Amino acid sequence: MTSTSRRTVLTALATATVAGPLMGGLGASAAHATGTNDLYSSNTDLYTQLTEGTDFGRRYKRHEQVDSDQKTAVAYGRTAILALHGGGIEGGTSELCLGIAGYDPATLAPKGGPAYDYWMFEAIRSSNNAELHVTSKNCDDKVALSIAAANLNVVSLHGCTASQAGAPTSRPEAVVVGGLNATLKTYLHDALRAAGFQTIDGSTEPDLAGVDPTNICNRTLLGKGAQLEITTELRKSMFTVNTIAGRATSTTAVYDGFVAAVRTAVARLEASGGEQIIL
């Protein structure tokens, strides 16, 4: 795992604030956190009305697991990474999903270290991508649900505005840590803060808390997971070039630091061995 120091991240954040990297696909509109403004009641509803490959794309990877010995415990997945609103909806979350899962966002090549299952939905229109938002508790994509249900833990990535996150105007670069897995939340706070990021507890922002049991981040083997809501300003600082239909090919030290921090938290959780399930 690539090491990115706290000083490097803080310096990169300060530089990004001045330089303003181009991230045209991000947008600064408020996330549809509650689903109240969604046009589609579910992924199935969206899939039946729009065209895959033109309006949206779905990408995923499941890693092979084998249980061929009657005397061993049944194998199960440990962690999956999800991005429900990638592409032009909540820009940068697709790239973060891939990076945290252990893959290069530009080439999809493995970057070394643990690799995790991932799933993402990406809006790929040239405009009006926000219309393709389906709130997390209404995600009924069969592959996404099966990946979440096959793993002990999920980290679900989202985008929000600084106002939604409750971040101070003097420091809008922030991430809201939510979900029902209290241990994973603690580890994410610890790792992200150690890397120089501002974290906000989801319990202070109900719309971003990710505590609904039907939220896909909590539909794991353990019935709990984690959700990260990342402000527009923080996501902008992670990239220098972006297209809506494609993925950013140029990332910054902020991106590297964020990815490394989340992977550190996941590795700490998996190493603890404290959360297991008997199937």
Side-chain angles (χ1 to χ4, degrees):
M1 186 182 301
T2 302
S3 175
T4 303
S5 70
R6 175 186 173 90
R7 180 181 296 275
T8 300
V9 169
L10 291 173
T11 300
L13 279 168
T15 302
T17 301
V18 175
L22 298 176
M23 189 61 178
L26 276 170
S29 60
H32 299 207
T34 63
T36 303
N37 298 318
D38 285 356
L39 294 180
Y40 303 98
S41 61
S42 66
N43 286 70
T44 298
D45 182 30
L46 184 151
Y47 298 160
T48 57
Q49 297 190 56
L50 300 180
T51 304
E52 187 161 11
T54 301
D55 297 299
F56 68 92
R58 292 174 284 178
R59 301 174 187 266
Y60 70 92
K61 186 175 182 67
R62 306 180 84 158
H63 298 84
E64 183 180 19
Q65 292 178 305
V66 177
D67 178 28
S68 58
D69 188 338
Q70 293 178 333
K71 297 181 180 180
T72 61
V74 175
Y76 49 79
R78 299 290 294 174
T79 305
I81 315 299
L82 308 179
L84 277 64
H85 309 132
I89 305 174
E90 294 165 2
T93 55
S94 301
E95 293 84 351
L96 286 166
C97 178
L98 287 165
I100 294 167
Y103 295 90
D104 185 284
T107 66
L108 303 186
K111 297 194 70 174
Y116 304 111
D117 292 353
Y118 66 81
W119 180 91
M120 66 182 73
F121 173 93
E122 295 177 296
I124 56 175
R125 292 172 167 178
S126 59
S127 61
N128 299 323
N129 283 292
E131 295 179 353
L132 277 63
H133 182 282
V134 173
T135 197
S136 299
K137 66 180 182 179
N138 292 338
C139 177
D140 64 349
D141 183 283
K142 301 300 187 292
V143 175
L145 290 172
S146 66
I147 288 177
N151 281 272
L152 289 176
N153 309 297
V154 155
V155 176
S156 185
L157 301 156
H158 299 265
C160 66
T161 65
S163 176
Q164 286 178 308
T169 55
S170 60
R171 192 184 178 191
E173 302 88 357
V175 53
V176 179
V177 182
L180 287 175
N181 191 324
T183 302
L184 180 52
K185 283 178 58 180
T186 296
Y187 292 170
L188 286 164
H189 277 295
D190 290 348
L192 287 164
R193 288 174 178 172
F197 294 99
Q198 176 185 197
T199 69
I200 297 170
D201 195 289
S203 63
T204 66
E205 302 297 332
D207 286 348
L208 306 182
V211 294
D212 191 318
T214 62
N215 183 321
I216 194 171
C217 80
N218 296 318
R219 299 184 69 171
T220 67
L221 279 168
L222 293 170
K224 55 186 179 180
Q227 176 176 286
L228 298 178
E229 293 272 3
I230 309 159
T231 64
T232 303
E233 290 80 2
L234 179 52
R235 285 177 288 131
K236 279 186 175 180
S237 70
M238 296 180 181
F239 308 95
T240 57
V241 178
N242 177 71
T243 60
I244 293 176
R247 294 194 184 92
T249 57
S250 182
T251 56
T252 69
V254 179
Y255 171 90
D256 294 336
F258 193 94
V259 166
V262 175
R263 284 174 62 83
T264 294
V266 170
R268 181 182 175 190
L269 182 73
E270 294 187 351
S272 68
E275 297 188 314
Q276 299 180 8
I277 190 168
I278 299 175
L279 301 179

Short mmCIF file of all heavy atoms in Angstrom, two decimals, residues 96-148:
data_model
loop_
_atom_site.label_atom_id
_atom_site.label_comp_id
_atom_site.label_asym_id
_atom_site.label_seq_id
_atom_site.Cartn_x
_atom_site.Cartn_y
_atom_site.Cartn_z
N LEU A 96 -12.80 6.60 -6.64
CA LEU A 96 -12.48 6.23 -5.27
C LEU A 96 -12.85 4.78 -4.99
O LEU A 96 -12.12 4.06 -4.30
CB LEU A 96 -13.20 7.16 -4.29
CG LEU A 96 -12.62 8.56 -4.18
CD1 LEU A 96 -13.60 9.49 -3.46
CD2 LEU A 96 -11.28 8.53 -3.45
N CYS A 97 -13.97 4.34 -5.53
CA CYS A 97 -14.38 2.96 -5.36
C CYS A 97 -13.32 2.01 -5.90
O CYS A 97 -12.92 1.05 -5.23
CB CYS A 97 -15.71 2.73 -6.09
SG CYS A 97 -16.33 1.04 -6.04
N LEU A 98 -12.84 2.29 -7.09
CA LEU A 98 -11.82 1.44 -7.69
C LEU A 98 -10.52 1.49 -6.90
O LEU A 98 -9.89 0.46 -6.64
CB LEU A 98 -11.56 1.87 -9.14
CG LEU A 98 -12.67 1.50 -10.13
CD1 LEU A 98 -12.53 2.27 -11.43
CD2 LEU A 98 -12.65 -0.01 -10.38
N GLY A 99 -10.09 2.70 -6.51
CA GLY A 99 -8.84 2.82 -5.78
C GLY A 99 -8.87 2.09 -4.46
O GLY A 99 -7.92 1.38 -4.09
N ILE A 100 -9.96 2.24 -3.70
CA ILE A 100 -10.06 1.59 -2.40
C ILE A 100 -10.17 0.08 -2.58
O ILE A 100 -9.67 -0.69 -1.75
CB ILE A 100 -11.27 2.15 -1.63
CG1 ILE A 100 -11.01 3.63 -1.30
CG2 ILE A 100 -11.51 1.37 -0.34
CD1 ILE A 100 -12.24 4.37 -0.81
N ALA A 101 -10.81 -0.35 -3.67
CA ALA A 101 -10.90 -1.79 -3.94
C ALA A 101 -9.57 -2.39 -4.36
O ALA A 101 -9.42 -3.61 -4.38
CB ALA A 101 -11.95 -2.05 -5.01
N GLY A 102 -8.60 -1.53 -4.70
CA GLY A 102 -7.26 -2.02 -5.04
C GLY A 102 -6.92 -1.96 -6.51
O GLY A 102 -6.00 -2.65 -6.96
N TYR A 103 -7.62 -1.10 -7.27
CA TYR A 103 -7.42 -1.03 -8.71
C TYR A 103 -7.15 0.39 -9.18
O TYR A 103 -7.65 1.34 -8.58
CB TYR A 103 -8.65 -1.59 -9.45
CG TYR A 103 -8.84 -3.06 -9.18
CD1 TYR A 103 -9.62 -3.49 -8.11
CD2 TYR A 103 -8.22 -4.03 -9.97
CE1 TYR A 103 -9.78 -4.85 -7.83
CE2 TYR A 103 -8.35 -5.37 -9.70
CZ TYR A 103 -9.14 -5.78 -8.63
OH TYR A 103 -9.28 -7.12 -8.35
N ASP A 104 -6.36 0.52 -10.23
CA ASP A 104 -6.08 1.82 -10.81
C ASP A 104 -7.35 2.34 -11.49
O ASP A 104 -7.94 1.63 -12.32
CB ASP A 104 -4.95 1.71 -11.83
CG ASP A 104 -4.53 3.06 -12.38
OD1 ASP A 104 -5.28 3.60 -13.23
OD2 ASP A 104 -3.49 3.57 -11.97
N PRO A 105 -7.82 3.55 -11.18
CA PRO A 105 -9.08 4.03 -11.76
C PRO A 105 -9.02 4.28 -13.25
O PRO A 105 -10.06 4.29 -13.91
CB PRO A 105 -9.34 5.33 -10.99
CG PRO A 105 -8.01 5.78 -10.53
CD PRO A 105 -7.24 4.52 -10.23
N ALA A 106 -7.83 4.47 -13.80
CA ALA A 106 -7.70 4.74 -15.23
C ALA A 106 -7.59 3.47 -16.05
O ALA A 106 -8.17 3.35 -17.12
CB ALA A 106 -6.50 5.64 -15.48
N THR A 107 -6.83 2.49 -15.53
CA THR A 107 -6.55 1.28 -16.31
C THR A 107 -7.24 0.03 -15.78
O THR A 107 -7.28 -0.99 -16.46
CB THR A 107 -5.04 1.01 -16.33
OG1 THR A 107 -4.60 0.68 -15.00
CG2 THR A 107 -4.27 2.24 -16.82
N LEU A 108 -7.76 0.09 -14.57
CA LEU A 108 -8.37 -1.05 -13.87
C LEU A 108 -7.34 -2.11 -13.49
O LEU A 108 -7.71 -3.20 -13.04
CB LEU A 108 -9.49 -1.68 -14.70
CG LEU A 108 -10.63 -0.77 -15.12
CD1 LEU A 108 -11.73 -1.59 -15.81
CD2 LEU A 108 -11.20 -0.03 -13.93
N ALA A 109 -6.05 -1.79 -13.64
CA ALA A 109 -5.01 -2.76 -13.27
C ALA A 109 -4.90 -2.85 -11.75
O ALA A 109 -5.04 -1.84 -11.04
CB ALA A 109 -3.67 -2.33 -13.86
N PRO A 110 -4.64 -4.04 -11.21
CA PRO A 110 -4.44 -4.18 -9.76
C PRO A 110 -3.24 -3.35 -9.32
O PRO A 110 -2.22 -3.28 -10.01
CB PRO A 110 -4.16 -5.68 -9.59
CG PRO A 110 -4.74 -6.32 -10.81
CD PRO A 110 -4.56 -5.34 -11.91
N LYS A 111 -3.35 -2.71 -8.16
CA LYS A 111 -2.28 -1.85 -7.67
C LYS A 111 -1.45 -2.51 -6.58
O LYS A 111 -0.56 -1.89 -6.02
CB LYS A 111 -2.88 -0.54 -7.15
CG LYS A 111 -3.58 0.27 -8.23
CD LYS A 111 -3.85 1.69 -7.79
CE LYS A 111 -2.56 2.48 -7.70
NZ LYS A 111 -2.82 3.92 -7.39
N GLY A 112 -1.72 -3.77 -6.27
CA GLY A 112 -0.97 -4.46 -5.23
C GLY A 112 -1.68 -4.37 -3.90
O GLY A 112 -2.43 -3.42 -3.64
N GLY A 113 -1.43 -5.33 -3.04
CA GLY A 113 -2.11 -5.36 -1.76
C GLY A 113 -3.47 -6.02 -1.89
O GLY A 113 -3.85 -6.52 -2.96
N PRO A 114 -4.24 -6.06 -0.82
CA PRO A 114 -5.55 -6.71 -0.85
C PRO A 114 -6.47 -6.10 -1.90
O PRO A 114 -6.46 -4.89 -2.12
CB PRO A 114 -6.10 -6.47 0.56
CG PRO A 114 -4.91 -6.18 1.40
CD PRO A 114 -3.93 -5.49 0.51
N ALA A 115 -7.23 -6.95 -2.57
CA ALA A 115 -8.23 -6.50 -3.53
C ALA A 115 -9.61 -6.87 -3.00
O ALA A 115 -9.80 -7.96 -2.45
CB ALA A 115 -8.00 -7.14 -4.89
N TYR A 116 -10.56 -5.96 -3.14
CA TYR A 116 -11.89 -6.16 -2.59
C TYR A 116 -12.93 -6.19 -3.70
O TYR A 116 -12.77 -5.57 -4.75
CB TYR A 116 -12.23 -5.03 -1.61
CG TYR A 116 -11.23 -4.87 -0.50
CD1 TYR A 116 -10.39 -3.76 -0.44
CD2 TYR A 116 -11.08 -5.85 0.49
CE1 TYR A 116 -9.45 -3.61 0.57
CE2 TYR A 116 -10.15 -5.71 1.51
CZ TYR A 116 -9.34 -4.59 1.54
OH TYR A 116 -8.41 -4.46 2.54
N ASP A 117 -14.02 -6.92 -3.45
CA ASP A 117 -15.15 -6.88 -4.37
C ASP A 117 -15.64 -5.43 -4.51
O ASP A 117 -15.59 -4.67 -3.53
CB ASP A 117 -16.31 -7.72 -3.84
CG ASP A 117 -16.02 -9.21 -3.83
OD1 ASP A 117 -14.98 -9.63 -4.35
OD2 ASP A 117 -16.85 -9.96 -3.27
N TYR A 118 -16.10 -5.07 -5.70
CA TYR A 118 -16.67 -3.73 -5.85
C TYR A 118 -17.85 -3.75 -6.80
O TYR A 118 -18.01 -4.68 -7.61
CB TYR A 118 -15.62 -2.72 -6.31
CG TYR A 118 -15.08 -2.93 -7.71
CD1 TYR A 118 -15.78 -2.50 -8.84
CD2 TYR A 118 -13.83 -3.52 -7.92
CE1 TYR A 118 -15.28 -2.66 -10.12
CE2 TYR A 118 -13.32 -3.70 -9.20
CZ TYR A 118 -14.04 -3.27 -10.29
OH TYR A 118 -13.55 -3.44 -11.57
N TRP A 119 -18.69 -2.75 -6.68
CA TRP A 119 -19.84 -2.54 -7.59
C TRP A 119 -20.07 -1.05 -7.69
O TRP A 119 -19.96 -0.32 -6.70
CB TRP A 119 -21.10 -3.21 -7.05
CG TRP A 119 -22.30 -3.03 -7.94
CD1 TRP A 119 -22.70 -3.87 -8.95
CD2 TRP A 119 -23.26 -1.97 -7.93
NE1 TRP A 119 -23.84 -3.39 -9.55
CE2 TRP A 119 -24.21 -2.21 -8.94
CE3 TRP A 119 -23.41 -0.82 -7.14
CZ2 TRP A 119 -25.28 -1.37 -9.20
CZ3 TRP A 119 -24.48 0.04 -7.40
CH2 TRP A 119 -25.40 -0.25 -8.42
N MET A 120 -20.39 -0.59 -8.91
CA MET A 120 -20.69 0.83 -9.08
C MET A 120 -21.75 1.03 -10.16
O MET A 120 -21.84 0.25 -11.11
CB MET A 120 -19.43 1.62 -9.43
CG MET A 120 -18.83 1.29 -10.78
SD MET A 120 -17.31 2.21 -11.10
CE MET A 120 -16.19 1.37 -9.99
N PHE A 121 -22.54 2.05 -9.95
CA PHE A 121 -23.47 2.55 -10.95
C PHE A 121 -22.94 3.89 -11.40
O PHE A 121 -22.62 4.75 -10.57
CB PHE A 121 -24.87 2.71 -10.35
CG PHE A 121 -25.85 3.38 -11.29
CD1 PHE A 121 -26.66 2.61 -12.11
CD2 PHE A 121 -25.96 4.76 -11.33
CE1 PHE A 121 -27.56 3.23 -12.98
CE2 PHE A 121 -26.87 5.39 -12.20
CZ PHE A 121 -27.66 4.61 -13.02
N GLU A 122 -22.84 4.09 -12.73
CA GLU A 122 -22.30 5.33 -13.26
C GLU A 122 -23.26 5.97 -14.27
O GLU A 122 -23.69 5.31 -15.22
CB GLU A 122 -20.96 5.09 -13.95
CG GLU A 122 -19.87 4.61 -13.00
CD GLU A 122 -18.57 4.30 -13.73
OE1 GLU A 122 -18.56 3.37 -14.56
OE2 GLU A 122 -17.58 5.00 -13.46
N ALA A 123 -23.59 7.22 -14.05
CA ALA A 123 -24.37 7.99 -15.02
C ALA A 123 -23.40 8.52 -16.07
O ALA A 123 -22.39 9.13 -15.74
CB ALA A 123 -25.10 9.14 -14.34
N ILE A 124 -23.72 8.28 -17.35
CA ILE A 124 -22.75 8.61 -18.41
C ILE A 124 -23.35 9.54 -19.47
O ILE A 124 -22.83 9.62 -20.59
CB ILE A 124 -22.19 7.34 -19.06
CG1 ILE A 124 -23.32 6.46 -19.60
CG2 ILE A 124 -21.36 6.56 -18.05
CD1 ILE A 124 -22.81 5.22 -20.37
N ARG A 125 -24.40 10.24 -19.14
CA ARG A 125 -24.94 11.23 -20.07
C ARG A 125 -24.01 12.43 -20.19
O ARG A 125 -23.15 12.65 -19.35
CB ARG A 125 -26.30 11.72 -19.57
CG ARG A 125 -27.43 10.71 -19.59
CD ARG A 125 -28.62 11.29 -18.87
NE ARG A 125 -29.85 10.56 -19.08
CZ ARG A 125 -31.01 10.87 -18.51
NH1 ARG A 125 -31.08 11.92 -17.69
NH2 ARG A 125 -32.09 10.16 -18.74
N SER A 126 -24.25 13.24 -21.20
CA SER A 126 -23.49 14.48 -21.32
C SER A 126 -24.06 15.58 -20.43
O SER A 126 -23.42 16.60 -20.20
CB SER A 126 -23.48 14.95 -22.78
OG SER A 126 -24.80 15.17 -23.24
N SER A 127 -25.29 15.38 -19.92
CA SER A 127 -25.91 16.35 -19.04
C SER A 127 -27.05 15.67 -18.27
O SER A 127 -27.44 14.54 -18.58
CB SER A 127 -26.46 17.55 -19.82
OG SER A 127 -27.46 17.12 -20.74
N ASN A 128 -27.58 16.39 -17.28
CA ASN A 128 -28.73 15.91 -16.50
C ASN A 128 -28.49 14.57 -15.82
O ASN A 128 -29.41 13.77 -15.63
CB ASN A 128 -29.98 15.81 -17.39
CG ASN A 128 -30.39 17.14 -17.98
OD1 ASN A 128 -30.26 18.18 -17.33
ND2 ASN A 128 -30.84 17.12 -19.22
N ASN A 129 -27.27 14.32 -15.40
CA ASN A 129 -26.96 13.05 -14.75
C ASN A 129 -27.57 12.92 -13.36
O ASN A 129 -27.84 11.82 -12.88
CB ASN A 129 -25.44 12.86 -14.67
CG ASN A 129 -24.87 12.45 -16.01
OD1 ASN A 129 -25.10 11.36 -16.49
ND2 ASN A 129 -24.11 13.35 -16.62
N ALA A 130 -27.81 14.06 -12.70
CA ALA A 130 -28.39 14.01 -11.36
C ALA A 130 -29.75 13.33 -11.36
O ALA A 130 -30.19 12.79 -10.34
CB ALA A 130 -28.50 15.42 -10.78
N GLU A 131 -30.42 13.32 -12.51
CA GLU A 131 -31.72 12.68 -12.61
C GLU A 131 -31.65 11.17 -12.41
O GLU A 131 -32.66 10.52 -12.14
CB GLU A 131 -32.35 12.96 -13.99
CG GLU A 131 -32.67 14.42 -14.25
CD GLU A 131 -33.25 14.64 -15.63
OE1 GLU A 131 -33.28 13.68 -16.43
OE2 GLU A 131 -33.68 15.78 -15.91
N LEU A 132 -30.46 10.61 -12.49
CA LEU A 132 -30.30 9.16 -12.39
C LEU A 132 -29.99 8.70 -10.97
O LEU A 132 -29.66 7.54 -10.74
CB LEU A 132 -29.20 8.68 -13.35
CG LEU A 132 -29.62 8.46 -14.81
CD1 LEU A 132 -30.08 9.76 -15.46
CD2 LEU A 132 -28.47 7.87 -15.61
N HIS A 133 -30.12 9.60 -10.03
CA HIS A 133 -29.86 9.25 -8.63
C HIS A 133 -30.98 8.38 -8.07
O HIS A 133 -32.16 8.69 -8.20
CB HIS A 133 -29.75 10.53 -7.80
CG HIS A 133 -29.44 10.31 -6.36
ND1 HIS A 133 -30.37 9.90 -5.43
CD2 HIS A 133 -28.27 10.46 -5.68
CE1 HIS A 133 -29.81 9.80 -4.25
NE2 HIS A 133 -28.54 10.13 -4.36
N VAL A 134 -30.59 7.25 -7.47
CA VAL A 134 -31.53 6.41 -6.73
C VAL A 134 -30.98 6.27 -5.32
O VAL A 134 -29.86 5.81 -5.12
CB VAL A 134 -31.68 5.01 -7.37
CG1 VAL A 134 -32.54 4.10 -6.48
CG2 VAL A 134 -32.27 5.11 -8.77
N THR A 135 -31.75 6.70 -4.33
CA THR A 135 -31.24 6.71 -2.96
C THR A 135 -30.88 5.30 -2.48
O THR A 135 -31.44 4.30 -2.95
CB THR A 135 -32.27 7.36 -2.02
OG1 THR A 135 -31.64 7.70 -0.81
CG2 THR A 135 -33.45 6.41 -1.75
N SER A 136 -29.94 5.22 -1.55
CA SER A 136 -29.32 3.96 -1.18
C SER A 136 -30.29 2.90 -0.69
O SER A 136 -30.14 1.71 -0.97
CB SER A 136 -28.27 4.20 -0.09
OG SER A 136 -27.25 5.05 -0.56
N LYS A 137 -31.32 3.30 0.06
CA LYS A 137 -32.25 2.32 0.59
C LYS A 137 -33.16 1.74 -0.50
O LYS A 137 -33.81 0.70 -0.28
CB LYS A 137 -33.10 2.93 1.71
CG LYS A 137 -34.05 4.02 1.26
CD LYS A 137 -34.85 4.55 2.44
CE LYS A 137 -35.85 5.61 2.00
NZ LYS A 137 -36.64 6.11 3.16
N ASN A 138 -33.18 2.39 -1.67
CA ASN A 138 -33.99 1.89 -2.77
C ASN A 138 -33.18 1.16 -3.83
O ASN A 138 -33.72 0.79 -4.88
CB ASN A 138 -34.75 3.05 -3.43
CG ASN A 138 -35.81 3.64 -2.52
OD1 ASN A 138 -36.27 2.98 -1.59
ND2 ASN A 138 -36.20 4.88 -2.77
N CYS A 139 -31.89 0.95 -3.56
CA CYS A 139 -31.06 0.21 -4.51
C CYS A 139 -31.48 -1.26 -4.50
O CYS A 139 -31.34 -1.94 -3.48
CB CYS A 139 -29.58 0.34 -4.16
SG CYS A 139 -28.50 -0.62 -5.27
N ASP A 140 -32.00 -1.73 -5.63
CA ASP A 140 -32.41 -3.13 -5.71
C ASP A 140 -31.70 -3.87 -6.83
O ASP A 140 -32.17 -4.91 -7.30
CB ASP A 140 -33.93 -3.23 -5.88
CG ASP A 140 -34.42 -2.63 -7.19
OD1 ASP A 140 -33.63 -1.96 -7.89
OD2 ASP A 140 -35.60 -2.84 -7.53
N ASP A 141 -30.55 -3.34 -7.27
CA ASP A 141 -29.75 -4.03 -8.26
C ASP A 141 -29.33 -5.38 -7.70
O ASP A 141 -28.72 -5.46 -6.63
CB ASP A 141 -28.52 -3.19 -8.62
CG ASP A 141 -27.69 -3.83 -9.72
OD1 ASP A 141 -26.96 -4.80 -9.41
OD2 ASP A 141 -27.76 -3.38 -10.87
N LYS A 142 -29.65 -6.45 -8.40
CA LYS A 142 -29.43 -7.80 -7.87
C LYS A 142 -27.95 -8.10 -7.63
O LYS A 142 -27.59 -8.77 -6.66
CB LYS A 142 -30.03 -8.84 -8.81
CG LYS A 142 -31.54 -8.67 -9.04
CD LYS A 142 -32.32 -8.77 -7.75
CE LYS A 142 -33.83 -8.78 -7.99
NZ LYS A 142 -34.33 -7.49 -8.50
N VAL A 143 -27.08 -7.62 -8.52
CA VAL A 143 -25.65 -7.86 -8.34
C VAL A 143 -25.12 -7.08 -7.14
O VAL A 143 -24.38 -7.61 -6.31
CB VAL A 143 -24.86 -7.50 -9.61
CG1 VAL A 143 -23.36 -7.64 -9.38
CG2 VAL A 143 -25.30 -8.38 -10.78
N ALA A 144 -25.53 -5.82 -7.03
CA ALA A 144 -25.09 -5.01 -5.90
C ALA A 144 -25.53 -5.62 -4.58
O ALA A 144 -24.75 -5.73 -3.63
CB ALA A 144 -25.65 -3.59 -6.03
N LEU A 145 -26.80 -6.05 -4.52
CA LEU A 145 -27.31 -6.65 -3.29
C LEU A 145 -26.59 -7.95 -2.96
O LEU A 145 -26.29 -8.23 -1.80
CB LEU A 145 -28.82 -6.90 -3.41
CG LEU A 145 -29.70 -5.66 -3.42
CD1 LEU A 145 -31.14 -6.04 -3.75
CD2 LEU A 145 -29.64 -4.94 -2.07
N SER A 146 -26.29 -8.74 -3.98
CA SER A 146 -25.63 -10.02 -3.73
C SER A 146 -24.19 -9.82 -3.26
O SER A 146 -23.70 -10.57 -2.42
CB SER A 146 -25.67 -10.91 -4.98
OG SER A 146 -24.89 -10.36 -6.03
N ILE A 147 -23.53 -8.79 -3.79
CA ILE A 147 -22.16 -8.50 -3.36
C ILE A 147 -22.15 -8.03 -1.92
O ILE A 147 -21.34 -8.47 -1.10
CB ILE A 147 -21.50 -7.48 -4.30
CG1 ILE A 147 -21.18 -8.14 -5.65
CG2 ILE A 147 -20.22 -6.90 -3.68
CD1 ILE A 147 -20.60 -7.20 -6.69
N ALA A 148 -23.08 -7.14 -1.58
CA ALA A 148 -23.16 -6.67 -0.20
C ALA A 148 -23.47 -7.83 0.74
O ALA A 148 -22.85 -7.98 1.80
CB ALA A 148 -24.22 -5.58 -0.07
#
